[in-house]
Amino acid sequence: MRASRLVRAELMLGYMSRRLALGALTVFGVSILVFGIMRVLPGDPLVAIFGPDGFTRLTEDQRAGYMAELGLSDPLHVQYLRWMGDILRGEFGRSFFRSESVADMILRRGPLTAQIAFLSVLLSWVIGLPVAIVSALRPNSLADNVVRFISILFLAVPGFWLGMLIVLGLLFAFGYRAPLTGASLLNDPWTTLQMIAGPAIVLGLGQAAYIARMARSSLLEVIREDYVRTARAKGVNRRAVIRLHALPNALLPVVTLSGILLGFVLAGSIPVERAFGTPGLGSAMYTAVSERDVFVMQNLVFLYAVVFVILNIAIDILIAWIDPRIRFQ
Amino acid sequence: MSASDPLVLAGPAEPGRQTHVLGGFRRFARRSPTTAFWAVVAAVIVLVAILAPLIAPYDPLAANFRLMSKPPSEAAWFGTDQVGRDVLSRVIHGSQTSLMVAAAAVLFGTTVGALWGLACGYFGGRFDLFSQRVIEFMQSFPDLILAMAIAMALGAGTWTVILAIAITRIPFGGRVVRSVVLSVKEMPFVEAARGLGASHLRLMLRHILPQCIAPFLILATAHLGVAIIIEASLGFLGVGIPPPMPTWGNMLADSLNAGLVPPWWLVLFPGLAITLTVLAFNLLGDGLRDLLDPRLRGSV
């Protein structure tokens, strides 16, 4: 017993270290890609900052001056290394247009978006899973078909549009508008909840559609397995078989999917926060994009990608911990 | 990440029989009436997009300051926007832009991805290993963020948006086609052709590539919907196709500028157009998958 536990821990550690090494490589690759998109693609950063008209009005000297001031006239690898150095020291630079540093902005706005993401994932499971079970237990019944159509419908509805409709609907029906500025979760939870509820519901419904589809097909597959049939044959009741035998196995791919979806929630929150006017990290990204604020974008895009990579690693490790088959690969 | 990729398992499909188009459609409709229905809806949307200038009742760019922000009426079914442009005409013209951009992006992105995947699967080895890492890096960004960053860096314009969306589609094409190639290249007919002295290029293009067409078509249709949503999101965030050219996304963005509370008809109709179009293409894609590759039936 003890030996096997040791072996298990060793396998788990081996798997984790391999996964982390791969993750570090991915973060490196991602940083190169972000840097490449922002600096090497044929868009001139000064055009991005001053706009095409402003750029043509600058003299050659001014252009060179600005480039040098922003550190853009150094060789690319020097710029890249300086960027990485800044990030390692926790300095994410400053916007051209605002006095607040990017790091402060992330700390101020990040929590709101994180709460939206967390609540939406919670909602997606609470809605998606029961729906999938009902659907999978009676495949091709009326309920199954209705549920499948609704989930396909939600894959087609753009989240930000649904958000705009909700805002309008609440305004017309109840004259209600969610608070726009706010409060932190600790000192005013009610205001915060009103701010995050809308985006979380919209993003949660979108994910729930994916979760329901994935869980349904995965359950349908597992239900046909021998061990489920055996359990039924030896007289275990249907409910217990689903709960104890089928569900735990069927949920593995759903957990993986949910992790990937979480990354897409971070992206989806950009237009959705704009639709609701929520002052989270997503609307900061919107501001940066509409002001063509290259350095803020560079850091935010990198931050989102790193969060996405870390989430994926965490999910992979979680799956390996739950499912021994993965560890042995 | 392959768990999210329903098409990774797609194998070669049976070679299609050539029949008359109408007869083929009738048989197709009998086998799968819902797919046929959504195929018709999709076809109508495509037709509307192509014939937009003929169908649209008004000029989508013509402002009319006597008819600003009017609700839907008999003269303007979908109402008018804050400068008096006809919303119906703008939605119709928007379909042209949205569909063209989405189709071009998907075609370009998945084709580049497919050729890359073909080379990866066929040659294997170090090239494949390196390519898989690069694809992994690309997939470490949520689609929309990658597209936003590229569109912003390149500056606004139709081609930039197409390129930005296309780049996010490359990994999908690459992964699907690579996995098909890996299974096909071990098959006896490929070995036979190699034995007859066929060159690498001939083996890839003449013998292996045709086997990838069914999964490629399924993938492309399925991703058309995603591309339309990304295009709309980019437009909504102001990095899509620049106004005044109407797209569904920038119409929605525009509606937020129409005052403190956007008129409902400015919000409702472009969004409905997006939803209906994406729904039609997604369901058509699902149906095609079931028909072309029955082994995948019922999977995600």
Side-chain angles (χ1 to χ4, degrees):
Chain A
M1 191 65 205
R2 205 170 158 171
S4 74
R5 197 170 289 169
L6 267 178
V7 169
R8 182 187 159 151
E10 211 164 280
L11 277 170
M12 197 62 213
L13 274 179
Y15 178 81
M16 275 169 74
S17 54
R18 257 174 314 177
R19 194 65 193 77
L20 285 175
L22 203 61
L25 182 70
T26 310
V27 168
F28 170 71
V30 160
S31 73
I32 298 270
L33 267 185
V34 173
F35 186 78
I37 290 169
M38 292 300 170
R39 301 290 176 78
V40 185
L41 279 188
D44 192 311
L46 286 186
V47 179
I49 297 164
F50 293 100
D53 297 336
F55 180 73
T56 44
R57 255 179 262 133
L58 295 176
T59 63
E60 277 303 320
D61 283 350
Q62 278 175 316
R63 284 181 204 172
Y66 279 121
M67 290 296 272
E69 197 181 309
L70 296 167
L72 291 170
S73 43
D74 296 330
L76 283 176
H77 66 273
V78 174
Q79 291 187 39
Y80 174 78
L81 289 176
R82 193 169 46 219
W83 178 46
M84 281 291 110
D86 284 348
I87 282 186
L88 290 178
R89 277 191 314 255
E91 284 171 27
F92 295 94
R94 216 165 263 286
S95 151
F96 296 122
F97 309 103
R98 255 156 268 286
S99 57
E100 190 181 28
S101 80
V102 176
D104 287 343
M105 186 192 70
I106 291 170
L107 288 179
R108 187 167 58 87
R109 288 166 171 258
L112 203 59
T113 300
Q115 287 157 15
I116 290 172
F118 178 76
L119 189 61
S120 74
V121 170
L122 202 70
L123 276 175
S124 73
W125 280 80
V126 170
I127 300 167
L129 208 55
V131 159
I133 295 173
V134 169
S135 223
L137 290 187
R138 298 190 192 289
N140 295 319
S141 65
L142 182 67
D144 180 33
N145 280 321
V146 169
V147 159
R148 279 168 73 190
F149 185 77
I150 290 177
S151 66
I152 262 190
L153 182 66
F154 269 99
L155 297 184
V157 173
F160 62 89
W161 176 60
L162 190 59
M164 293 169 87
L165 287 183
I166 290 177
V167 170
L168 274 184
L170 287 177
L171 204 60
F172 279 128
F174 308 108
Y176 169 82
R177 185 97 174 73
L180 292 179
T181 46
S184 73
L185 189 58
L186 289 177
N187 57 34
D188 193 353
W190 176 236
T191 311
T192 313
L193 186 67
Q194 288 184 62
M195 284 167 74
I196 63 175
I201 288 172
V202 166
L203 292 166
L205 285 175
Q207 289 176 86
Y210 280 101
I211 299 259
R213 270 161 75 93
M214 181 62 129
R216 174 183 178 275
S217 66
S218 165
L219 255 177
L220 277 178
E221 222 162 82
V222 170
I223 284 173
R224 286 190 216 116
E225 296 273 342
D226 289 342
Y227 62 84
V228 172
R229 200 178 315 126
T230 311
R232 284 289 286 151
K234 78 182 183 191
V236 183
N237 76 33
R238 206 175 142 96
R239 247 164 217 278
V241 173
I242 298 290
R243 196 158 43 88
L244 298 172
H245 297 260
L247 260 188
N249 283 296
L251 287 188
L252 288 172
V254 185
V255 172
T256 309
L257 177 71
S258 192
I260 294 167
L261 288 177
L262 192 53
F264 286 93
V265 166
L266 291 177
S269 76
I270 302 168
V272 169
E273 281 182 18
R274 161 121 176 89
F276 281 97
T278 316
L281 209 51
S283 44
M285 190 89 139
Y286 166 72
T287 312
V289 128
S290 51
E291 288 173 348
R292 314 207 63 190
D293 199 336
V294 181
F295 294 108
V296 173
M297 257 315 257
Q298 183 174 328
N299 286 312
L300 284 181
V301 169
F302 185 59
L303 174 79
Y304 271 80
V306 169
V307 169
F308 194 36
V309 170
I310 291 175
L311 280 174
N312 276 318
I313 294 176
I315 294 284
D316 279 355
I317 289 176
L318 179 71
I319 290 279
W321 183 62
I322 302 173
D323 183 0
R325 282 169 297 183
I326 309 280
R327 291 199 291 272
F328 288 100
Q329 276 171 11
Chain B
M1 208 154 283
S2 59
S4 72
D5 216 336
L7 299 162
V8 165
L9 295 172
E14 61 177 289
R17 278 153 296 177
Q18 305 271 323
T19 38
H20 191 263
V21 180
L22 264 182
F25 187 78
R26 207 169 295 145
R27 209 152 24 106
F28 168 64
R30 217 172 299 135
R31 269 174 77 185
S32 169
T34 31
T35 309
F37 171 73
W38 288 107
V40 171
V41 174
V44 168
I45 294 172
V46 171
L47 215 62
V48 166
I50 294 172
L51 301 177
L54 299 178
I55 297 174
Y58 302 98
D59 179 353
L61 302 180
N64 183 343
F65 295 103
R66 283 199 208 113
L67 294 168
M68 290 192 297
S69 299
K70 291 279 177 260
S73 64
E74 254 170 59
W77 291 357
F78 287 5
T80 60
D81 69 3
Q82 63 267 36
V83 289
R85 294 174 298 195
D86 180 45
V87 175
L88 176 62
S89 306
R90 289 176 68 72
V91 168
I92 291 175
H93 275 266
S95 71
Q96 192 170 42
T97 329
S98 294
L99 281 189
M100 193 207 49
V101 167
V106 168
L107 202 67
F108 182 55
T110 44
T111 306
V112 169
L115 293 177
W116 193 7
L118 177 66
C120 287
Y122 184 81
F123 291 113
R126 223 176 265 175
F127 171 68
D128 182 36
L129 213 63
F130 176 74
S131 301
Q132 291 314 302
R133 287 288 92 76
V134 174
I135 284 182
E136 218 162 88
F137 299 158
M138 290 172 74
Q139 289 202 309
S140 302
F141 298 91
D143 299 349
L144 180 60
I145 291 185
L146 186 59
M148 260 172 86
I150 297 172
M152 192 197 87
L154 290 176
T158 308
W159 286 105
T160 350
V161 175
I162 292 177
L163 190 67
I165 300 174
I167 289 177
T168 65
R169 300 298 100 197
I170 290 176
F172 298 94
R175 289 199 163 209
V176 171
V177 170
R178 176 176 172 270
S179 70
V180 177
V181 171
L182 281 181
S183 67
V184 170
K185 78 169 179 182
E186 306 297 340
M187 289 197 176
F189 71 89
V190 176
E191 217 169 298
R194 191 178 297 132
L196 287 171
S199 67
H200 286 315
L201 204 63
R202 188 177 165 80
L203 276 175
M204 279 198 281
L205 298 182
R206 186 85 187 82
H207 295 277
I208 298 179
L209 196 61
Q211 302 296 324
C212 306
I213 287 179
F216 177 79
L217 277 182
I218 298 167
L219 180 85
T221 338
H223 279 261
L224 211 52
V226 184
I228 291 171
I229 292 207
I230 296 182
E231 191 273 330
S233 310
L234 290 178
F236 183 64
L237 293 172
V239 275
I241 290 161
M245 201 161 153
T247 70
W248 295 332
N250 72 24
M251 288 174 72
L252 288 172
D254 235 19
S255 77
L256 286 182
N257 302 330
L260 219 51
V261 179
W264 61 268
W265 56 92
L266 292 187
V267 177
L268 185 66
F269 296 115
L272 273 183
I274 301 172
T275 305
L276 185 67
T277 310
V278 176
L279 189 66
F281 283 113
N282 281 353
L283 285 166
L284 178 63
D286 278 10
L288 278 184
R289 182 192 60 204
D290 291 351
L291 285 177
L292 293 176
D293 203 341
R295 275 167 297 170
L296 287 172
R297 187 163 304 178
S299 69
V300 179

